[in-house]
Amino acid sequence: MRMQFWKKTVEDIYCDNPPHQPVAIELWKAVKRHRLTKRWLVKIIDEREKNLEDKTYRNIQELENYAENTQSSLLYLTLEVLGVKDIHADHAASHIGKAQGIVTCLRATPYHGSRRKVFLPMDICMLHGVSQEDFLQKNQDKSVRNVIYDIASQAHLHLNHARSFHKSVPVKAFPAFLQTVALENYLKKIQQVDFDIFHPFLQQKNTLLPLSLYIQSWRKRY
Protein backbone atom coordinates (compact mmCIF):
# COMPACT_ATOMS: atom_id res chain seq x y z
CA MET A 1 0.00 0.00 0.00
CA ARG A 2 2.84 2.36 0.84
CA MET A 3 4.52 1.75 -2.53
CA GLN A 4 1.22 2.13 -4.37
CA PHE A 5 0.72 5.46 -2.60
CA TRP A 6 4.08 6.75 -3.84
CA LYS A 7 3.57 5.42 -7.35
CA LYS A 8 0.27 7.29 -7.61
CA THR A 9 1.79 10.33 -5.90
CA VAL A 10 4.59 10.58 -8.48
CA GLU A 11 2.05 10.27 -11.30
CA ASP A 12 -0.08 13.01 -9.71
CA ILE A 13 2.94 15.25 -9.13
CA TYR A 14 3.80 15.16 -12.83
CA CYS A 15 0.16 15.96 -13.61
CA ASP A 16 0.44 19.05 -11.36
CA ASN A 17 -2.00 17.53 -8.88
CA PRO A 18 0.03 16.50 -5.78
CA PRO A 19 -1.84 15.06 -2.78
CA HIS A 20 -2.09 17.18 0.35
CA GLN A 21 0.82 15.50 2.05
CA PRO A 22 3.86 17.54 3.21
CA VAL A 23 6.56 15.43 1.53
CA ALA A 24 4.57 15.13 -1.70
CA ILE A 25 4.04 18.89 -1.85
CA GLU A 26 7.75 19.61 -1.34
CA LEU A 27 8.65 17.00 -3.96
CA TRP A 28 6.20 18.62 -6.39
CA LYS A 29 7.86 22.01 -5.77
CA ALA A 30 11.30 20.48 -6.41
CA VAL A 31 10.08 18.81 -9.62
CA LYS A 32 8.69 22.14 -10.86
CA ARG A 33 11.74 24.16 -9.82
CA HIS A 34 14.44 21.81 -11.11
CA ARG A 35 12.55 19.86 -13.78
CA LEU A 36 13.44 16.55 -12.16
CA THR A 37 13.27 13.48 -14.37
CA LYS A 38 10.32 11.26 -13.50
CA ARG A 39 12.20 8.09 -14.51
CA TRP A 40 14.61 8.29 -11.55
CA LEU A 41 11.82 8.62 -9.00
CA VAL A 42 9.93 5.69 -10.54
CA LYS A 43 13.08 3.54 -10.52
CA ILE A 44 13.63 4.15 -6.82
CA ILE A 45 10.05 3.14 -5.96
CA ASP A 46 10.04 0.10 -8.27
CA GLU A 47 13.32 -1.22 -6.89
CA ARG A 48 12.23 -0.72 -3.28
CA GLU A 49 9.02 -2.58 -4.07
CA LYS A 50 10.98 -5.52 -5.52
CA ASN A 51 13.09 -5.57 -2.36
CA LEU A 52 10.18 -5.74 0.09
CA GLU A 53 10.41 -9.52 0.34
CA ASP A 54 13.89 -9.28 1.90
CA LYS A 55 15.48 -11.80 -0.44
CA THR A 56 19.21 -12.48 -0.27
CA TYR A 57 21.13 -11.18 -3.29
CA ARG A 58 22.09 -14.13 -5.49
CA ASN A 59 25.23 -12.39 -6.69
CA ILE A 60 27.13 -9.12 -6.48
CA GLN A 61 25.49 -7.95 -9.73
CA GLU A 62 22.05 -8.08 -8.09
CA LEU A 63 23.30 -5.93 -5.25
CA GLU A 64 24.86 -3.49 -7.73
CA ASN A 65 21.62 -3.32 -9.74
CA TYR A 66 19.69 -2.52 -6.57
CA ALA A 67 22.21 0.18 -5.69
CA GLU A 68 22.14 1.61 -9.23
CA ASN A 69 18.34 1.89 -9.23
CA THR A 70 18.13 3.42 -5.75
CA GLN A 71 21.34 5.17 -4.64
CA SER A 72 22.53 6.16 -8.13
CA SER A 73 19.05 7.34 -9.14
CA LEU A 74 19.04 9.61 -6.10
CA LEU A 75 22.41 11.01 -7.18
CA TYR A 76 21.13 11.66 -10.71
CA LEU A 77 18.28 13.66 -9.16
CA THR A 78 20.75 15.55 -6.97
CA LEU A 79 22.79 16.45 -10.05
CA GLU A 80 19.63 17.80 -11.67
CA VAL A 81 18.96 19.93 -8.59
CA LEU A 82 22.51 21.29 -8.91
CA GLY A 83 21.88 22.06 -12.59
CA VAL A 84 24.48 19.58 -13.81
CA LYS A 85 23.94 17.78 -17.11
CA ASP A 86 27.17 16.00 -17.89
CA ILE A 87 27.91 12.44 -18.98
CA HIS A 88 31.08 12.21 -16.86
CA ALA A 89 29.16 13.32 -13.77
CA ASP A 90 26.53 10.67 -14.56
CA HIS A 91 29.21 7.97 -14.85
CA ALA A 92 30.70 9.04 -11.51
CA ALA A 93 27.24 9.06 -9.91
CA SER A 94 26.59 5.53 -11.16
CA HIS A 95 29.77 4.17 -9.57
CA ILE A 96 29.38 6.15 -6.33
CA GLY A 97 25.80 4.91 -5.98
CA LYS A 98 26.95 1.32 -6.40
CA ALA A 99 29.72 1.82 -3.85
CA GLN A 100 27.17 3.34 -1.46
CA GLY A 101 24.82 0.39 -1.88
CA ILE A 102 27.57 -2.16 -1.26
CA VAL A 103 28.90 -0.34 1.80
CA THR A 104 25.38 0.03 3.20
CA CYS A 105 24.88 -3.73 2.80
CA LEU A 106 28.15 -4.38 4.66
CA ARG A 107 27.43 -1.90 7.45
CA ALA A 108 23.97 -3.37 8.02
CA THR A 109 25.25 -6.96 8.30
CA PRO A 110 25.53 -7.00 12.14
CA TYR A 111 22.05 -5.47 12.47
CA HIS A 112 20.50 -7.90 10.00
CA GLY A 113 22.31 -10.77 11.70
CA SER A 114 20.67 -9.83 15.00
CA ARG A 115 17.33 -10.31 13.22
CA ARG A 116 18.53 -13.62 11.75
CA LYS A 117 18.81 -12.27 8.23
CA VAL A 118 21.77 -12.19 5.83
CA PHE A 119 21.77 -10.19 2.59
CA LEU A 120 25.37 -10.60 1.46
CA PRO A 121 25.71 -11.95 -2.13
CA MET A 122 25.34 -15.73 -2.16
CA ASP A 123 27.84 -16.29 -4.99
CA ILE A 124 30.72 -14.80 -2.98
CA CYS A 125 29.70 -16.70 0.17
CA MET A 126 29.61 -19.98 -1.78
CA LEU A 127 32.97 -19.22 -3.38
CA HIS A 128 34.57 -19.22 0.09
CA GLY A 129 32.45 -22.04 1.52
CA VAL A 130 30.64 -19.72 3.94
CA SER A 131 27.01 -20.25 4.98
CA GLN A 132 24.45 -17.77 6.29
CA GLU A 133 24.74 -19.48 9.67
CA ASP A 134 28.41 -18.42 9.85
CA PHE A 135 27.28 -14.80 9.85
CA LEU A 136 24.40 -15.42 12.25
CA GLN A 137 26.89 -17.02 14.69
CA LYS A 138 29.35 -14.12 14.14
CA ASN A 139 32.00 -16.54 12.91
CA GLN A 140 35.37 -14.79 12.49
CA ASP A 141 37.14 -17.45 10.42
CA LYS A 142 39.44 -16.42 7.59
CA SER A 143 36.87 -17.60 5.03
CA VAL A 144 34.24 -15.23 6.47
CA ARG A 145 36.72 -12.35 6.34
CA ASN A 146 37.51 -13.27 2.74
CA VAL A 147 33.83 -12.83 1.84
CA ILE A 148 33.85 -9.36 3.39
CA TYR A 149 37.16 -8.56 1.67
CA ASP A 150 35.77 -9.46 -1.76
CA ILE A 151 32.61 -7.39 -1.27
CA ALA A 152 34.49 -4.40 0.17
CA SER A 153 36.97 -4.60 -2.70
CA GLN A 154 34.12 -4.22 -5.17
CA ALA A 155 32.96 -1.05 -3.39
CA HIS A 156 36.52 0.26 -3.44
CA LEU A 157 36.75 -0.47 -7.16
CA HIS A 158 33.62 1.58 -7.85
CA LEU A 159 34.99 4.42 -5.74
CA ASN A 160 38.21 4.44 -7.76
CA HIS A 161 36.26 4.35 -11.03
CA ALA A 162 34.20 7.35 -9.91
CA ARG A 163 37.33 9.29 -9.02
CA SER A 164 38.95 8.48 -12.35
CA PHE A 165 36.45 10.95 -13.90
CA HIS A 166 37.49 13.68 -11.45
CA LYS A 167 39.12 15.99 -13.99
CA SER A 168 36.20 15.73 -16.40
CA VAL A 169 33.38 16.25 -13.89
CA PRO A 170 32.13 19.85 -13.50
CA VAL A 171 33.05 21.36 -10.14
CA LYS A 172 29.38 22.22 -9.67
CA ALA A 173 28.67 18.49 -9.30
CA PHE A 174 31.12 17.87 -6.44
CA PRO A 175 28.68 18.60 -3.56
CA ALA A 176 26.55 15.65 -4.74
CA PHE A 177 29.53 13.33 -4.36
CA LEU A 178 30.81 14.25 -0.89
CA GLN A 179 29.40 10.99 0.48
CA THR A 180 32.59 9.40 -0.91
CA VAL A 181 34.33 10.73 2.22
CA ALA A 182 32.14 8.57 4.48
CA LEU A 183 32.43 5.59 2.14
CA GLU A 184 36.21 5.74 2.05
CA ASN A 185 36.32 6.16 5.82
CA TYR A 186 34.32 2.97 6.35
CA LEU A 187 36.38 0.98 3.85
CA LYS A 188 39.60 2.08 5.57
CA LYS A 189 38.20 1.13 8.98
CA ILE A 190 37.13 -2.32 7.84
CA GLN A 191 40.61 -2.85 6.42
CA GLN A 192 42.14 -1.85 9.77
CA VAL A 193 40.19 -4.59 11.58
CA ASP A 194 41.18 -7.19 8.97
CA PHE A 195 37.67 -7.34 7.50
CA ASP A 196 36.02 -8.46 10.74
CA ILE A 197 32.51 -7.19 9.98
CA PHE A 198 31.45 -7.58 13.64
CA HIS A 199 34.35 -5.63 15.18
CA PRO A 200 33.13 -2.95 17.67
CA PHE A 201 35.48 -0.41 16.05
CA LEU A 202 33.21 -0.31 13.00
CA GLN A 203 30.28 0.86 15.15
CA GLN A 204 32.18 3.86 16.52
CA LYS A 205 31.40 7.29 15.14
CA ASN A 206 34.11 9.20 13.35
CA THR A 207 34.12 12.56 15.13
CA LEU A 208 36.46 13.97 12.47
CA LEU A 209 34.08 13.18 9.60
CA PRO A 210 32.59 16.73 9.44
CA LEU A 211 36.12 18.15 9.22
CA SER A 212 37.04 15.65 6.49
CA LEU A 213 33.92 16.66 4.56
CA TYR A 214 34.82 20.35 4.90
CA ILE A 215 38.40 19.78 3.73
CA GLN A 216 37.30 17.71 0.74
CA SER A 217 34.74 20.37 -0.16
CA TRP A 218 37.32 23.13 0.16
CA ARG A 219 39.79 21.19 -1.99
CA LYS A 220 37.08 20.76 -4.65
CA ARG A 221 37.49 16.99 -4.65
CA TYR A 222 35.28 13.97 -4.04
Side-chain angles (χ1 to χ4, degrees):
M1 287 178 67
R2 188 175 59 190
M3 293 302 165
Q4 277 304 122
F5 167 79
W6 282 111
K7 279 184 176 182
K8 186 175 186 309
T9 295
V10 168
E11 291 297 330
D12 290 344
I13 281 172
Y14 281 87
C15 291
D16 267 345
N17 184 33
H20 294 290
Q21 198 261 10
V23 176
I25 290 170
E26 291 305 313
L27 183 57
W28 171 68
K29 289 178 184 176
V31 167
K32 296 285 285 182
R33 188 180 305 121
H34 304 289
R35 297 183 179 181
L36 300 182
T37 304
K38 179 182 176 182
R39 178 171 75 256
W40 306 131
L41 292 169
V42 172
K43 274 195 170 189
I44 293 170
I45 297 168
D46 285 346
E47 197 63 35
R48 295 285 190 195
E49 187 174 34
K50 282 187 215 169
N51 206 246
L52 285 177
E53 294 178 12
D54 286 347
K55 289 182 180 178
T56 303
Y57 300 106
R58 289 178 296 179
N59 50 54
I60 191 73
Q61 288 75 29
E62 279 195 358
L63 173 53
E64 288 176 336
N65 287 340
Y66 176 76
E68 168 70 30
N69 290 328
T70 53
Q71 303 289 348
S72 299
S73 292
L74 200 53
L75 284 174
Y76 299 144
L77 289 166
T78 306
L79 289 174
E80 290 184 345
V81 168
L82 293 171
V84 176
K85 290 186 178 180
D86 179 83
I87 191 163
H88 300 294
D90 288 344
H91 282 321
S94 175
H95 285 293
I96 291 169
K98 287 173 182 172
Q100 175 77 63
I102 294 169
V103 167
T104 300
C105 186
L106 287 172
R107 291 186 67 173
T109 297
Y111 169 74
H112 288 144
S114 69
R115 296 163 64 91
R116 298 200 61 77
K117 293 180 180 180
V118 179
F119 294 105
L120 299 175
M122 289 170 61
D123 63 335
I124 297 178
C125 292
M126 290 170 65
L127 180 67
H128 296 286
V130 173
S131 68
Q132 290 194 352
E133 196 61 32
D134 287 318
F135 285 101
L136 297 179
Q137 298 297 328
K138 298 186 178 181
N139 191 328
Q140 296 179 16
D141 286 352
K142 181 67 175 172
S143 55
V144 173
R145 293 171 187 248
N146 285 339
V147 169
I148 302 303
Y149 169 81
D150 282 358
I151 298 171
S153 295
Q154 191 68 10
H156 191 259
L157 196 63
H158 282 300
L159 210 49
N160 284 343
H161 275 316
R163 285 173 170 166
S164 71
F165 300 112
H166 176 265
K167 292 182 180 178
S168 304
V169 172
V171 173
K172 196 159 68 163
F174 288 8
F177 300 154
L178 282 176
Q179 60 188 283
T180 55
V181 176
L183 298 179
E184 186 174 43
N185 175 254
Y186 180 82
L187 292 173
K188 282 182 177 177
K189 284 170 71 174
I190 204 168
Q191 186 177 22
Q192 288 170 15
V193 298
D194 194 24
F195 302 97
D196 176 7
I197 196 70
F198 300 104
H199 199 287
F201 178 60
L202 296 177
Q203 307 304 320
Q204 294 176 10
K205 288 184 179 179
N206 179 6
T207 55
L208 295 178
L209 187 59
L211 178 61
S212 299
L213 284 165
Y214 173 77
I215 292 171
Q216 203 75 326
S217 176
W218 177 73
R219 291 172 66 198
K220 298 289 190 289
R221 298 183 68 86
Y222 64 83

